[in-house]
């Protein structure tokens, strides 16, 4: 039997290797449009910035390795231009025709390049292939670039901006949305935005690219930005034209439709990777989520189905992580904007914790946010930001979600503890406990920076309050709360805040048991208020 795979990236390469491990006698052929297979696409920004110095390290699996270890043939520079299901054959741009028993379409996606007036007036690049990174590095070196602009604030845009900065280039990032990194919410991503600005990156948010003139770009607001080169990081579009011509069903946005075994509507043709529409883990809606991990797993799923050991690819959570200078941001599931757009009811909680035990040296602040269903405790999404330990918290929550766990399972999770690594109650336990307190009606959280119509009570020590506090806040230290109950107004809702959000919760419980009714604990404490306040400005 012969299986042909169109595309040698994450999905195609994974599928081919798994096929060989399951069937030593199968004929496997990869047809790759470019001169590259299995490159570390996610590492390209770091190769541009010189963090990854050795170009050879960017090629995860070379054609020679596919042939010697797996006995898989790869034909480079072989762009497939037509699929003929009737004859079970494919035709390449070179005029070659190959027949197949099984076909896998792993053509991935390509960077979106907008139709902008004057685009040819400034050298512009996208970041998809190793050759793209080579071209960028060469251009920077040969022209001694001092100014660069990145258009697009997603993963690639943020990472490229950081790495251009590492090269000593004055860098501006332009993003049409009011924030960078769309998978995150404003109350978590604001930490990353301020980290970029602190490092020297100029952020132009809520302002898109309008036109290009000699020596610069003009934004929708009319603002002119001088620049010597552009990096376009405006997202990707699925490559599926040949699938459509072959009668394969696509979504309205151009992604290939498959079933749970990654089969298309045409017999013996599968698809995987960035060109397919995946099922969202939370909403069950179909959509495009371009991530390397899911693409690899989809390729493996196809190989098992072809070889007679089928299992379904269930859905994609959209779990991701990004380094932004000294901080890390990570997420899984849906964010608030996605839940609102889909009409899914949710509640949220945010805490400020520590990467490890606070009494052990060098503990770092970690912000953790969880979105959940109040009735069932189902976890709908999570986000985290910090210097250390961000990845493991989101990985654990993503796993709990995948296994159908709830916020109560976060409360009860038995996780590693030693002072250098965590506290006896990990931040995952802490936010699980906080959410269960909310679900039991023990406390109400408060978010944002608008306290109109409320009495704000700051329960931190006086010396801390005197250094900086919310305007018009009343200072009653937590240890004095019982003896000063008569000083607390009862004609307005009360918003209690402390350093991180725990002491304010304790004070809320004291007040509730002394007859106070409408009481709120500020989620995340003073540090969260400060970062959000700065972001509003």
């Amino acid at each position: 039997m012969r299986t042909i795979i169109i595309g040698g990236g994450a999905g195609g390469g994974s599928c081919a290797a798994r096929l060989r491990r399951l069937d030593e006698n199968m004929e496997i052929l990869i047809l790759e449009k470019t001169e590259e297979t299995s490159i570390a696409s996610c590492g390209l920004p770091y190769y541009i910035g010189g963090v990854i110095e050795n170009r050879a390290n960017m090629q995860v699996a070379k054609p020679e390795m596919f042939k010697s270890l797996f006995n898989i043939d790869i034909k480079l520079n072989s762009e497939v231009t037509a699929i003929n299901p009737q004859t079970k054959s494919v035709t390449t741009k070179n005029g070659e025709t190959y027949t197949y028993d099984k076909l896998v379409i792993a053509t991935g996606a390509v960077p979106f390049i907008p139709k902008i007036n004057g685009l040819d007036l400034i050298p512009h690049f996208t970041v998809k292939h190793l050759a793209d990174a080579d071209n960028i590095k060469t251009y920077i070196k040969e022209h001694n670039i001092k100014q660069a602009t990145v258009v697009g604030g997603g993963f690639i845009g943020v990472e490229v901006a950081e790495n251009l900065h590492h090269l000593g280039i004055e860098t501006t990032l332009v993003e049409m949305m009011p924030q960078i990194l769309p998978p995150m919410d404003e109350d978590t991503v604001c930490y990353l935005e301020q980290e970029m600005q602190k490092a020297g990156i100029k952020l132009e948010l809520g302002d898109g690219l309008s036109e290009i003139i000699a020596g610069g770009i003009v934004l929708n607001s009319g603002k002119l930005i001088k620049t010597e080169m552009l990096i376009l990081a405006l997202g990707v579009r699925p490559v599926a034209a040949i699938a459509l011509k072959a009668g394969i069903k696509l979504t309205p946005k151009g992604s290939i439709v498959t079933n749970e075994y990654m089969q298309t509507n045409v017999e013996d043709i599968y698809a995987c990777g960035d060109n397919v529409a995946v099922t969202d883990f939370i909403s069950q809606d179909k959509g495009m989520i371009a991530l390397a991990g899911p693409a690899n797993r989809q390729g493996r799923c196809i190989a098992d189905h072809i070889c007679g050991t089928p299992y379904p690819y269930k859905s994609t959570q959209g779990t991701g992580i990004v380094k932004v200078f000294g901080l890390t941001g990570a997420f899984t599931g849906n964010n608030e904007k996605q839940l609102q757009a889909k009409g899914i009811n949710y509640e949220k909680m945010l805490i400020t914790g520590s990467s490890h035990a606070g009494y052990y040296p060098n503990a770092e602040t970690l912000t953790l946010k969880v979105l959940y269903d109040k009735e069932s405790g189902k976890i709908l999404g999570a986000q985290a930001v910090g210097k250390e330990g961000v990845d493991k918290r989101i990985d654990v929550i993503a796993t709990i979600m995948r296994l159908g766990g709830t916020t109560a399972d976060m409360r009860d999770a038995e996780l590693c503890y030693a002072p250098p690594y965590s506290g006896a109650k990990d931040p995952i336990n802490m936010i699980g406990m906080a959410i269960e307190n909310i679900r039991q009606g023990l406390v109400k959280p408060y978010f944002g920076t608008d306290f109109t119509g409320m009495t704000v009570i700051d329960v931190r020590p006086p010396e801390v309050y005197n250094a900086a506090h919310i305007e018009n806040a009343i200072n009653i230290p937590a240890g004095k709360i019982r003896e000063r109950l008569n000083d607390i107004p009862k004609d307005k809702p009360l918003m209690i805040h402390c350093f991180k959000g725990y002491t304010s919760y304790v004070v809320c419980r004291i007040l509730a048991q002394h007859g106070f009714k409408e009481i709120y604990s500020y989620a995340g404490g003073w540090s969260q208020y400060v970062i959000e306040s700065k972001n509003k400005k």
Side-chain angles (χ1 to χ4, degrees):
M1 182 169 72
R2 173 191 274 182
T3 297
I4 292 180
I5 300 171
I6 307 174
S14 173
C15 181
R18 178 66 171 174
L19 283 171
R20 177 57 73 227
R21 293 194 295 271
L22 296 177
D23 188 340
E24 178 65 17
N25 298 314
M26 182 183 293
E27 185 180 351
I28 305 168
L29 173 63
I30 297 176
L31 299 175
E32 168 57 43
K33 176 181 177 180
T34 71
E35 295 183 352
E36 306 170 359
T37 58
S38 296
I39 66 161
S41 300
C42 297
L44 291 176
Y46 304 99
Y47 173 60
I48 290 171
V51 177
I52 300 173
E53 297 179 358
N54 190 343
R55 187 183 190 277
N57 291 341
M58 297 300 297
Q59 292 188 282
V60 178
K62 296 179 181 179
E64 306 86 74
M65 188 272 280
F66 271 101
K67 183 62 179 176
S68 63
L69 182 61
F70 294 110
N71 191 27
I72 293 170
D73 291 321
I74 298 179
K75 290 188 178 295
L76 302 178
N77 299 308
S78 293
E79 179 181 358
V80 174
T81 55
I83 300 169
N84 191 330
Q86 288 71 36
T87 61
K88 299 188 77 169
S89 64
V90 299
T91 303
T92 71
K93 192 174 183 179
N94 302 328
E96 299 166 324
T97 298
Y98 301 92
T99 58
Y100 64 84
D101 295 293
K102 303 291 183 181
L103 180 68
V104 181
I105 305 174
T107 45
V110 292
F112 172 65
I113 300 178
K115 295 180 180 178
I116 297 289
N117 291 333
L119 190 57
D120 292 335
L121 296 176
I122 290 182
H124 57 279
F125 305 86
T126 57
V127 182
K128 173 65 176 176
H129 301 289
L130 186 53
D132 297 330
D134 288 334
N135 291 337
I136 292 170
K137 288 169 69 75
T138 299
Y139 189 83
I140 289 172
K141 184 177 180 180
E142 291 182 351
H143 294 82
N144 192 27
I145 296 299
K146 299 298 183 186
Q147 292 178 318
T149 299
V150 178
V151 183
F155 285 111
I156 294 295
V158 168
E159 291 169 346
V160 169
E162 176 178 341
N163 280 280
L164 291 176
H165 176 80
H166 286 328
L167 295 175
I169 297 172
E170 182 182 320
T171 305
T172 300
L173 186 147
V174 176
E175 169 55 51
M176 184 179 293
M177 301 297 290
Q179 66 169 78
I180 61 171
L181 299 170
M184 302 185 73
D185 289 318
E186 290 185 13
D187 53 3
T188 53
V189 82
C190 58
Y191 289 90
L192 304 178
E193 290 172 350
Q194 292 188 32
E195 180 77 358
M196 293 186 78
Q197 291 172 320
K198 184 173 69 175
I201 303 291
K202 297 177 182 178
L203 295 183
E204 297 290 344
L205 304 178
D207 205 354
L209 178 61
S210 175
E211 65 174 318
I212 298 172
I213 60 176
I217 63 173
V218 181
L219 304 184
N220 292 334
S221 63
K223 185 173 183 177
L224 172 65
I225 297 176
K226 293 182 179 180
T227 191
E228 297 172 299
M229 65 181 292
L230 286 178
I231 306 292
L232 300 176
L234 293 160
V236 294
R237 300 293 185 269
V239 178
I242 57 171
L244 180 62
K245 291 178 182 178
I248 294 172
K249 185 178 179 181
L250 306 185
T251 67
K253 292 188 177 181
S255 295
I256 298 173
V257 176
T258 68
N259 64 11
E260 66 270 33
Y261 299 104
M262 309 311 295
Q263 294 172 291
T264 71
N265 61 300
V266 177
E267 188 177 4
D268 293 325
I269 299 181
Y270 301 77
C272 64
D274 294 350
N275 58 351
V276 303
V278 295
T279 300
D280 182 89
F281 182 78
I282 299 300
S283 68
Q284 298 299 299
D285 291 341
K286 287 284 190 178
M288 181 183 180
I289 303 177
L291 292 169
N296 273 281
R297 294 195 300 277
Q298 290 160 17
R300 180 186 177 93
C301 176
I302 291 172
D304 278 47
H305 192 272
I306 290 173
C307 292
T309 54
Y311 68 91
Y313 180 83
K314 296 178 180 179
S315 56
T316 298
Q317 287 174 241
T319 305
I321 191 165
V322 61
K323 174 186 176 298
V324 182
F325 291 94
L327 291 180
T328 298
F331 48 86
T332 189
N334 284 188
N335 59 31
E336 290 195 58
K337 297 180 289 294
Q338 290 171 311
L339 295 173
Q340 291 165 5
K342 296 167 185 174
I344 298 175
N345 292 326
Y346 70 93
E347 299 291 335
K348 62 182 176 180
M349 186 55 188
L350 182 150
I351 67 166
T352 300
S354 296
S355 58
H356 57 249
Y359 60 83
Y360 187 86
N362 302 317
E364 298 286 357
T365 297
L366 185 144
T367 300
L368 181 59
K369 176 180 180 178
V370 171
L371 307 173
Y372 64 96
D373 177 81
K374 189 172 183 179
E375 295 301 317
S376 66
K378 178 182 178 181
I379 306 166
L380 304 175
Q383 301 165 36
V385 180
K387 290 184 177 181
E388 180 183 294
V390 169
D391 51 346
K392 73 174 181 179
R393 269 73 189 205
I394 291 300
D395 281 343
V396 169
I397 295 174
T399 303
I400 293 173
M401 289 175 64
R402 175 63 69 172
L403 298 177
T406 66
T407 53
D409 294 306
M410 292 170 56
R411 175 197 63 194
D412 300 336
E414 185 173 337
L415 305 172
C416 292
Y417 162 59
Y421 303 103
S422 182
K425 290 187 288 190
D426 189 87
I428 291 172
N429 301 131
M430 294 294 289
I431 199 166
M433 292 173 182
I435 291 171
E436 291 306 297
N437 286 336
I438 295 167
R439 294 182 66 214
Q440 292 172 34
L442 295 177
V443 67
K444 297 177 183 178
Y446 194 83
F447 307 89
T449 58
D450 183 1
F451 311 116
T452 304
M454 307 181 82
T455 297
V456 179
I457 299 180
D458 186 332
V459 297
R460 300 175 301 161
E463 63 272 18
V464 179
Y465 168 88
N466 291 332
H469 60 264
I470 296 171
E471 186 177 1
N472 298 321
I474 300 171
N475 182 220
I476 304 179
K480 303 287 185 180
I481 204 76
R482 290 181 179 86
E483 60 191 69
R484 292 186 58 184
L485 294 175
N486 292 332
D487 296 335
I488 301 174
K490 296 185 177 181
D491 58 338
K492 295 180 181 179
L494 301 177
M495 198 288 287
I496 317 298
H497 90 86
C498 62
F499 285 110
K500 293 185 174 182
Y502 173 72
T503 305
S504 62
Y505 157 65
V506 174
V507 169
C508 284
R509 293 302 305 144
I510 294 170
L511 294 176
Q513 294 174 83
H514 280 277
F516 290 85
K517 299 300 182 185
E518 195 169 357
I519 320 160
Y520 298 87
S521 174
Y522 192 81
W526 172 253
S527 60
Q528 183 66 25
Y529 168 77
V530 169
I531 195 81
E532 288 195 48
S533 297
K534 288 181 179 178
N535 201 51
K536 296 289 183 185
K537 297 176 182 178

